[in-house]
Amino acid sequence: QVQVVESGGGLVQAGGSLRLSCVASGSIYIIRDMGWYRQAPGKQRELVAAVTRGGRANYGDSVWGRFTISRDNARNTVWLQMNSLKPEDTAVYYCYAGNSGLALDYWGQGTQVTVSS
């Protein structure tokens, strides 16, 4: 079993920055990929950023050039640096940890990010 816990959300003005953190614990040897997804009210959950154990990163089109994901494999920790925030970025952000080869996906409870105009 893997537990995933996010932190760092909050209220920020448009143009500002936030840094989210996520730590996975438990059977961490299972984890291969980690990343961030978000869901705004009335919308589908979407990819924000993800990174493999080897450091290959993938970003959603809506955050390209503004967000940066980083990872410490030894600590099973991932961060999301969010710059130039827009009101459209307002959502609950969920941390993901998993192993697609084993069809195992683990999710955090989410942290709220609200961007005011």
Side-chain angles (χ1 to χ4, degrees):
Q1 182 177 342
V2 174
Q3 295 78 233
V4 182
V5 180
E6 315 98 327
S7 63
L11 175 64
V12 65
Q13 192 173 32
S17 299
L18 283 174
R19 186 174 179 87
L20 306 183
S21 299
C22 173
V23 180
S25 61
S27 301
I28 56 177
Y29 54 86
I30 295 174
I31 299 170
R32 296 294 180 269
D33 305 324
M34 297 186 72
W36 295 91
Y37 290 71
R38 68 186 183 187
Q39 187 168 22
K43 296 185 177 181
Q44 296 292 114
R45 187 173 298 189
E46 65 175 348
L47 171 70
V48 177
V51 61
T52 68
R53 292 180 66 88
R56 297 188 301 275
N58 187 38
Y59 295 92
D61 291 342
S62 63
V63 306
W64 190 269
R66 299 187 297 121
F67 292 8
T68 303
I69 189 169
S70 57
R71 177 176 179 175
D72 184 336
N73 289 332
R75 300 178 65 186
N76 286 108
T77 301
V78 66
W79 298 268
L80 183 68
Q81 179 66 45
M82 305 185 293
N83 298 325
S84 301
L85 283 162
K86 305 175 181 179
E88 306 93 271
D89 296 317
T90 296
V92 177
Y93 285 69
Y94 297 91
C95 183
Y96 163 82
N99 187 326
S100 60
L102 298 177
L104 296 174
D105 301 315
Y106 301 94
W107 296 90
Q109 292 299 117
T111 185
Q112 177 71 46
V113 172
T114 302
V115 184
S116 62
S117 59

